[in-house]
Amino acid sequence: MANDEQRILDRFGRLRPLSFSGAEIEDAQGFLDTWWKAYERSRLVGAIPLTWHKFSVLFLEKFVPQSRKEELRRQFEQLRHDGMERIMRFIDGLAYQLRLLMSRESVSDAIFDEVVDIAWQIEVVCNQERGEREAKRPCGPGDFSGVPSRVSVLSR
């Protein structure tokens, strides 16, 4: 933790803030309002405003028990695991060329919608490339090698 953040927390702890008893929502709102006003009164005039990150750290350390933080972390990890499973099933269902190109993409931290978007973008580029190749293909009786095309051979 940065020194500034530690000083803020130490100063806040010396204020002996109220403890939250787990009361109803209305009581919680009043409690939080009281807590926040007490914190603001303790700040020096002209002090640098509290960043969201610093507020979050301060708030979570004060009001969210470690056991709840761990439970939320486990739930998040499970969501990530389930999401990766869904992503892998999606990639496995793609056409071979697209699946090959997707394997080169970094999708380890992506969410399902992002992976679908990446696949769609790759598919668009592949289709454009295919269209450009077909547009460059000669339309005459032979190709660039000088060998007659199948049509001209059959018409003889």
Side-chain angles (χ1 to χ4, degrees):
M1 185 180 300
N3 289 337
D4 291 340
E5 292 175 6
Q6 187 60 47
R7 279 199 332 264
I8 290 170
L9 288 174
D10 291 343
R11 204 164 109 220
F12 181 75
R14 286 192 301 265
L15 294 173
R16 292 189 207 106
L18 301 171
S19 295
F20 179 57
S21 64
E24 297 296 321
I25 296 297
E26 295 81 24
D27 293 339
Q29 183 63 48
F31 173 80
L32 291 173
D33 287 342
T34 303
W35 170 75
W36 180 248
K37 286 175 186 172
Y39 175 77
E40 284 185 320
R41 280 193 307 269
S42 70
R43 293 176 50 84
L44 298 174
V45 174
I48 297 172
L50 191 64
T51 65
W52 178 252
H53 175 73
K54 288 180 182 179
F55 169 78
S56 297
V57 168
L58 185 66
F59 183 85
L60 291 173
E61 286 180 358
K62 177 66 182 167
F63 297 111
V64 181
Q66 188 62 33
S67 59
R68 179 67 177 140
K69 290 181 211 173
E70 284 300 314
E71 176 60 28
L72 291 171
R73 185 191 59 74
R74 280 192 293 278
Q75 288 176 8
F76 178 73
E77 288 298 322
Q78 185 60 40
L79 285 174
R80 284 181 47 127
H81 176 72
D82 292 347
M84 283 306 295
E85 203 171 287
R86 184 176 179 205
I87 288 169
M88 295 314 297
R89 283 196 319 262
F90 171 76
I91 292 173
D92 287 345
L94 295 173
Y96 175 76
Q97 182 184 11
L98 194 51
R99 188 170 62 237
L100 180 65
L101 292 170
M102 285 295 292
S103 69
R104 295 180 188 162
E105 290 295 320
S106 174
V107 294
S108 59
D109 290 331
I111 60 173
F112 182 75
D113 291 342
E114 292 170 339
V115 172
V116 171
D117 190 49
I118 291 169
W120 179 79
Q121 290 173 11
I122 291 173
E123 188 175 31
V124 166
V125 169
C126 287
N127 287 339
Q128 287 174 343
E129 183 182 353
R130 189 175 318 130
E132 289 172 7
R133 277 196 316 259
E134 289 175 3
K136 290 179 183 177
R137 188 176 295 157
C139 298
D143 60 13
F144 288 114
S145 66
V147 177
S149 69
R150 186 185 278 172
V151 174
S152 63
V153 171
L154 294 176
S155 62
R156 289 185 189 184

